[in-house]
């Protein structure tokens, strides 16, 4: 997929001015140039073009708010002087895996006064004597080179994580709003009250059931008593009949 089509897909029906993060990794650039990216992406803060065959960044549009630029695994060998003009507020730049051979190639980056982190892994320039010391002298604004500071101490937080935290702020705010709405619907104590109501309802049902059982027992007792009375009456009647028969036999 070429870069223009990829940008169109990444927009997802958004306007360029709504986009803060744009990932174009592994698509195809036309003749090693950036295409389809315009200065309408005025809110863009993160741009990733890893392994797209770039040989130049000359066609990069004006992106005043761009903070992080991923250019690793391309074929860039120079022309970095345009970055100070195109991305004046850049803080993180990854040029790993490009064709940068000497310090003069990265010298124009000294014009990026806000640049804090630079990555040059797998570039020939890293094989030069006193490479790290010379880069820090050349670019005094740098805090990290290839993930380590001047004292060879590794960055406490990766640049990607630091940047991701900033991007996630909007999502966190949305989550907070959803949580607040949920809390409004179910204020503290509602669950306990609902539980108490359920217990009361269960007790009432138990009382109703016990009352019904008592009524049934009373009815059964009355039925038994009635049957006993009927049995006694029949017995007395039978006795009277026998007595009468006995009297008739005596008269005979």
């Amino acid at each position: 997929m070429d870069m223009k089509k990829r940008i169109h897909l990444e927009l997802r029906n958004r306007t360029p001015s709504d986009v803060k993060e744009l990932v174009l990794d592994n698509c195809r650039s036309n003749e090693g140039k950036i295409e389809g990216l315009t200065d309408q992406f005025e809110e863009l803060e993160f741009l990733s073009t890893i392994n797209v065959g770039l040989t130049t960044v000359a066609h990069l549009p004006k992106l005043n708010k761009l903070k992080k630029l991923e250019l690793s695994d391309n074929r860039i060998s120079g022309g970095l002087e345009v970055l100070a003009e195109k991305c004046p507020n850049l803080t993180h730049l990854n040029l790993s895996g490009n064709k940068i051979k000497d310090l003069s190639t990265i010298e124009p980056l000294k014009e990026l006064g806000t640049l804090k982190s630079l990555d040059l892994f797998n570039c020939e320039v890293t094989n030069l004597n006193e490479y790290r010391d010379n880069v820090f002298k050349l670019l005094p604004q740098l805090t990290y080179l290839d993930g380590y500071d001047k004292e060879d101490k590794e960055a406490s937080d990766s640049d990607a994580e630091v940047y991701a935290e900033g991007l996630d702020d909007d999502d966190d705010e949305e989550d907070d709003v959803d949580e607040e709405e949920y809390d409004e619907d179910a204020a503290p104590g509602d669950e306990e009250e609902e539980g108490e109501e359920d217990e009361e309802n269960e007790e009432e049902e138990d009382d109703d059931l016990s009352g019904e059982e008592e009524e049934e027992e009373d009815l059964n007792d009355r039925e038994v008593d009635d049957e006993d009375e009927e049995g006694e009456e029949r017995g007395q009647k039978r006795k009277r009949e026998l007595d009468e028969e006995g009297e008739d036999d005596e008269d005979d």
Side-chain angles (χ1 to χ4, degrees):
M1 181 183 297
D2 63 38
M3 190 173 289
K4 283 185 178 181
K5 289 182 179 179
R6 179 67 176 274
I7 290 173
H8 179 71
L9 288 175
E10 290 292 330
L11 282 174
R12 299 170 188 169
N13 298 321
R14 296 175 294 173
T15 61
S17 59
D18 292 330
V19 180
K20 289 186 177 182
E21 178 180 3
L22 188 59
V23 178
L24 306 175
D25 300 348
N26 303 311
C27 65
R28 294 190 307 272
S29 62
N30 183 23
E31 297 180 354
K33 302 174 183 178
I34 293 175
E35 285 192 325
L37 197 63
T38 68
D39 54 11
Q40 291 180 337
F41 288 83
E42 55 190 5
E43 297 296 323
L44 195 63
E45 296 179 8
F46 172 60
L47 174 62
S48 184
T49 55
I50 298 173
N51 189 35
V52 298
L54 289 181
T55 58
T56 177
V57 289
H59 293 78
L60 194 68
K62 182 81 169 179
L63 300 170
N64 285 326
K65 292 189 177 182
L66 193 68
K67 295 179 181 178
K68 185 172 182 179
L69 179 59
E70 286 278 354
L71 296 170
S72 53
D73 298 327
N74 285 290
R75 295 180 285 126
I76 297 170
S77 58
L80 300 180
E81 61 274 1
V82 301
L83 293 179
E85 176 190 352
K86 305 286 188 178
C87 316
N89 295 301
L90 202 63
T91 59
H92 299 74
L93 177 61
N94 192 339
L95 289 166
S96 301
N98 280 278
K99 298 183 178 298
I100 298 172
K101 299 179 179 180
D102 50 58
L103 294 177
S104 61
T105 304
I106 62 172
E107 185 175 3
L109 299 179
K110 64 184 180 182
E111 301 299 326
L112 285 168
T114 58
L115 190 64
K116 296 179 181 179
S117 176
L118 175 64
D119 288 320
L120 295 168
F121 290 113
N122 297 324
C123 293
E124 289 186 37
V125 68
T126 61
N127 297 323
L128 297 177
N129 292 331
E130 299 182 351
Y131 151 73
R132 287 182 56 79
D133 290 339
N134 289 329
V135 172
F136 276 117
K137 288 178 183 177
L138 186 64
L139 307 173
Q141 76 272 35
L142 281 186
T143 302
Y144 298 107
L145 175 61
D146 302 333
Y148 291 83
D149 65 13
K150 294 178 182 179
E151 280 72 38
D152 288 334
K153 292 181 180 178
E154 189 174 5
S156 57
D157 296 308
S158 71
D159 296 332
E161 288 176 350
V162 172
Y163 182 76
E165 288 175 3
L167 285 181
D168 290 340
D169 286 344
D170 295 337
D171 295 336
D172 292 340
E173 289 177 2
E174 292 178 0
D175 292 340
D176 291 340
V177 170
D178 293 339
E179 289 176 1
E180 289 175 2
E181 291 176 354
Y182 175 79
D183 290 340
E184 288 176 1
D185 295 336
D190 285 353
E191 294 181 358
E192 293 180 2
E193 291 178 1
E194 290 177 359
E196 291 175 358
E197 290 177 359
D198 292 340
E199 290 178 0
E200 291 176 359
N201 292 335
E202 288 177 0
E203 289 177 358
E204 290 177 359
E205 290 177 0
D206 291 341
D207 293 340
D208 294 340
L209 290 172
S210 60
E212 292 176 359
E213 290 174 355
E214 289 177 358
E215 290 179 1
E216 290 179 358
E217 289 178 359
D218 293 340
L219 289 172
N220 291 335
D221 291 340
R222 285 197 293 272
E223 290 176 357
V224 171
D225 292 340
D226 291 342
E227 290 176 357
D228 292 341
E229 290 177 359
E230 290 177 359
E232 289 179 0
E233 290 178 357
R234 285 197 297 270
Q236 291 176 358
K237 182 178 181 182
R238 180 59 179 168
K239 184 179 180 182
R240 285 196 298 273
E241 291 175 351
L242 291 173
D243 291 342
E244 290 174 359
E245 289 178 359
E247 289 177 359
D248 291 340
D249 291 339
E250 288 177 0
D251 292 339
D252 295 340

